[in-house]
Amino acid sequence: MVTSSSSLSFLLLSTLLAPTIVLLLQSSVLHANPDAYFHTCLSNKRWKNPSAPVSVTGALYTRDNSSFFDILSLHTRNKRFNRPYTPKPIAIITPFHESHIQAAVVCSKDSNFQLRIRSGGHDYEGYSYVSDVPFVLLDMYTFKSIHVNIQNATALVEAGASLGQLYYKVAQNSHVHGVPGGICPSVGTGGHFGGGGYGNVMRKYGLAVDNIIDAKIVDVNGHILDRKSMGEDLFWAIRGGGGASFGVILSWTMKLVEVPPVVTVFRLNRTLEQGGSDLVYKWQHVAPNLHRDIFIRLQIEVRQKTVRVSFVCEFLGRVDRLLSLMEKSFPELGLTKSDCFELPWVNSTLFFAEWPMGTVAEALLYEPKRPAESYFKGKSDYVQKVISKEGLQSVWKKFIESEVIIMEWNPYGGRMWDIPASATPFPHRTGNLFQIQYMITWYQDGEDAINHNFNILRSMYKIMTPFVSKSPRQAYLNYRDRDIGANPSNGTINVDAARIYGAKFFRENFDKLVQVKTKVDPENFFRYEQSIPPHKY
């Protein structure tokens, strides 16, 4: 067979141009139909892994799937973000294997879809599962393995596991180890730890992030990194700076903390008529300076047109020692032995979650079977100077007018004052006496009800201005609050706009977070309304 020189040239040119032609065809498909491109990308054999129980397409739900809306709403903990006109994702991926998460990142990026990452669904502003632009929801609740190593006193927990599941698993392996985490069992560890994660043992052991010793993350290129391969700067950033600005957290490795076989709890209620205001004034002086084994939070609400203050305590020890310490430090509270309950640490987590006394530990494994039926809005503050008795009276007056707000005051001191503000992105350390969370819940549908309750909460927040931190007025990342500043979800995020909320969440640590972001995600793929932007934006 004789081949002409022109034929040879054509074959050679075709071979050289083949990759370019493929790219042009892919680009054409992407621009014409990004949904089809996304599904084609997920079907790529690159994502097939023999150890995965199903393929990534087997973990995919689109709007024509009968389970799509059930899965979307099941872990939507706030009815504000489960209404008919709430933006819905173009697809949901419920990963069972690391390769599914890698595929979600790469294929969403290549298809020009945003990726939102939901761990437990408690995002106060719904940023982890709602966007105004086309987006894919990576719903991590199926990615929830937990491995406890008591010999090394560590736990490896995947990001979709809840706090309750982690507490239960640790308690199944040891009665003298605990976890420095929050009090709501259904909160996901992925987001909770990424934003700081405070709880009842923070005065003894610090935050959850203060006890994280390793992590695995999928970066913007779909690579799986651990602490060693990601480097110390990125490891620093995801421990308090919010992992979702930098990648997808796969798992955390945490150092467990020592707890006694038996701890003591109590809840004492005092109204204003029972001297509650004077006790709150005294608490401000005492609570941050108590023995580190004592944590006494205030839960403040309106009952029968008066303020009721609940003093809720966890003590890492037996009741007799607690009574001795309280008699020396806070005798005004009038604590007696009959007020107290001794129980294992794991059961104390149920006590703080307000389950009835005697509830079995298996209740920590409870998962919701239906969407939230209530609406919710939260805010946060930090108090650095004792509120005077006169100041408290003005707080109570406005609080009684509100009727429906709940405040929680969480004391600092102890280990929280030992750790430098720059040790992690979470900066709220020395100088803070206590943190405040404001919460309002309602059940009425409609925009009028939303606006009414928002105004009540904002009015209370305004009244508190003289008594809280200033320049900036600080806020806790895990208590998302659009009111303190936010960017649109269409990607038009810039450093100056982000600094408005970033300084409140992170103070001086914001600039370092921007530097890390610029290095690991310069094109700002991982973004949401209060994320960390790279320098160029």
Side-chain angles (χ1 to χ4, degrees):
M1 178 179 179
V2 179
T3 305
S4 68
S5 60
S6 59
S7 297
L8 285 172
S9 298
F10 177 78
L11 288 172
L12 179 60
L13 183 62
S14 298
T15 302
L16 291 172
L17 291 177
T20 302
I21 293 171
V22 170
L23 288 174
L24 288 172
L25 287 172
Q26 288 178 337
S27 178
S28 176
V29 172
L30 171 59
H31 287 95
N33 193 339
D35 283 30
Y37 185 91
F38 176 73
H39 286 83
T40 300
C41 178
L42 291 180
S43 301
N44 192 304
K45 63 182 180 181
R46 172 185 177 186
W47 312 120
K48 292 182 179 179
N49 191 300
S51 63
V54 296
S55 67
V56 65
T57 53
L60 175 71
Y61 297 87
T62 56
R63 296 183 189 181
D64 56 2
N65 186 294
S66 61
S67 299
F68 176 87
F69 289 100
D70 289 337
I71 291 173
L72 177 62
S73 62
L74 185 60
H75 294 94
T76 300
R77 313 284 185 175
N78 190 338
K79 199 174 179 182
R80 283 171 54 202
F81 310 111
N82 192 23
R83 294 185 286 171
Y85 50 84
T86 301
K88 308 297 191 292
I90 62 106
I92 303 171
I93 295 176
T94 58
F96 293 92
H97 191 269
E98 292 174 344
S99 62
H100 299 167
I101 298 166
Q102 293 174 287
V105 171
V106 172
C107 295
S108 295
K109 183 181 70 169
D110 289 352
S111 303
N112 293 326
F113 292 140
Q114 276 195 8
L115 183 68
R116 296 296 169 112
I117 309 154
R118 180 163 70 178
S119 176
H122 287 266
D123 189 314
Y124 281 13
E125 294 291 356
Y127 295 152
S128 67
Y129 54 91
V130 176
S131 177
D132 291 328
V133 299
F135 72 104
V136 173
L137 173 59
L138 183 59
D139 205 343
M140 299 288 287
Y141 77 96
T142 49
F143 200 75
K144 56 184 178 183
S145 294
I146 301 170
H147 302 282
V148 176
N149 186 327
I150 292 301
Q151 184 175 355
N152 295 331
T154 60
L156 189 155
V157 53
E158 291 181 340
S162 69
L163 289 178
Q165 291 163 351
L166 175 59
Y167 297 163
Y168 180 82
K169 186 74 170 183
V170 170
Q172 289 298 294
N173 285 269
S174 171
H175 296 298
V176 292
H177 289 88
V179 178
I183 69 166
C184 181
S186 59
V187 164
T189 56
H192 182 68
F193 293 170
Y198 78 89
N200 298 344
V201 298
M202 69 175 177
R203 301 190 64 253
K204 176 92 171 186
Y205 295 112
L207 306 173
V209 292
D210 300 324
N211 296 275
I212 297 293
I213 58 175
D214 205 345
K216 290 177 71 176
I217 186 172
V218 175
D219 72 3
V220 70
N221 298 309
H223 299 146
I224 297 176
L225 309 174
D226 61 8
R227 178 175 182 173
K228 182 178 180 180
S229 56
M230 78 175 74
E232 288 302 304
D233 284 347
L234 181 53
F235 184 64
W236 174 86
I238 62 176
R239 291 177 300 127
S245 286
F246 305 95
V248 181
I249 301 296
L250 295 178
S251 64
W252 304 102
T253 301
M254 166 180 279
K255 195 73 176 174
L256 301 177
V257 299
E258 295 182 2
V259 296
V262 174
V263 304
T264 304
V265 298
F266 69 76
R267 175 187 291 266
L268 281 180
N269 300 325
R270 297 289 186 266
T271 64
L272 296 186
E273 292 74 17
Q274 295 170 322
S277 190
D278 288 341
L279 288 174
V280 171
Y281 178 75
K282 178 70 175 181
W283 174 91
Q284 295 179 89
H285 292 85
V286 169
N289 297 293
L290 286 169
H291 192 285
R292 295 185 181 203
D293 287 343
I294 304 175
F295 176 87
I296 304 177
R297 117 184 309 179
L298 302 186
Q299 183 171 311
I300 307 171
E301 53 194 320
V302 175
R303 291 292 181 91
Q304 297 179 340
K305 300 188 182 301
T306 188
V307 174
R308 188 187 78 173
V309 182
S310 298
F311 297 80
V312 193
C313 172
E314 175 160 347
F315 173 63
L316 299 177
R318 305 297 294 256
V319 62
D320 289 340
R321 179 165 166 256
L322 172 62
L323 291 172
S324 176
L325 290 169
M326 290 292 288
E327 181 60 31
K328 293 176 183 177
S329 301
F330 199 3
E332 295 87 349
L333 190 59
L335 183 68
T336 67
K337 195 168 187 175
S338 62
D339 298 318
C340 302
F341 301 91
E342 293 184 330
L343 65 180
W345 170 81
V346 70
N347 295 91
S348 74
T349 65
L350 290 164
F351 175 83
F352 267 82
E354 300 190 2
W355 286 80
M357 191 63 68
T359 300
V360 296
E362 283 73 17
L364 292 169
L365 304 177
Y366 171 77
E367 295 186 11
K369 301 297 187 294
R370 57 185 181 181
E373 298 178 351
S374 61
Y375 297 83
F376 173 84
K377 170 72 176 172
K379 301 178 80 67
S380 62
D381 260 324
Y382 287 88
V383 176
Q384 299 172 334
K385 295 181 180 180
V386 170
I387 304 174
S388 68
K389 291 186 176 182
E390 294 75 18
L392 288 175
Q393 291 305 316
S394 65
V395 171
W396 305 145
K397 180 180 178 181
K398 184 64 178 179
F399 196 65
I400 291 172
E401 290 177 5
S402 78
E403 295 186 324
V404 290
I405 295 174
I406 294 176
M407 288 194 292
E408 290 180 345
W409 295 12
N410 297 283
Y412 271 38
R415 181 65 178 150
M416 291 297 292
W417 287 351
D418 295 340
I419 300 172
S422 60
T424 69
F426 181 96
H428 316 293
R429 306 285 188 170
T430 302
N432 292 292
L433 297 176
F434 56 96
Q435 176 220 58
I436 298 177
Q437 178 180 196
Y438 310 86
M439 299 173 287
I440 189 166
T441 302
W442 67 98
Y443 294 86
Q444 299 83 12
D445 295 325
E447 290 300 318
D448 288 345
I450 290 176
N451 292 331
H452 173 71
N453 284 279
F454 275 22
N455 289 336
I456 291 174
L457 189 63
R458 289 166 178 162
S459 180
M460 186 71 217
Y461 185 76
K462 182 178 180 180
I463 285 291
M464 295 296 293
T465 302
F467 311 119
V468 299
S469 60
K470 299 171 178 62
S471 301
R473 185 172 183 172
Q474 298 173 40
Y476 178 38
L477 178 64
N478 279 355
Y479 294 159
R480 294 280 186 208
D481 181 7
R482 187 184 289 266
D483 294 345
I484 69 169
N487 282 282
S489 59
N490 61 8
T492 57
I493 295 174
N494 64 75
V495 173
D496 291 335
R499 191 179 300 279
I500 295 172
Y501 57 81
K504 297 171 184 177
F505 287 142
F506 309 114
R507 296 179 54 196
E508 291 81 5
N509 294 330
F510 175 74
D511 288 328
K512 183 176 178 180
L513 288 168
V514 171
Q515 292 173 9
V516 176
K517 173 71 170 184
T518 303
K519 181 179 179 181
V520 303
D521 185 18
E523 298 304 317
N524 201 28
F525 170 67
F526 291 110
R527 65 185 184 270
Y528 56 93
E529 289 79 352
Q530 290 183 332
S531 61
I532 303 295
H535 271 300
K536 64 177 286 187
Y537 282 83

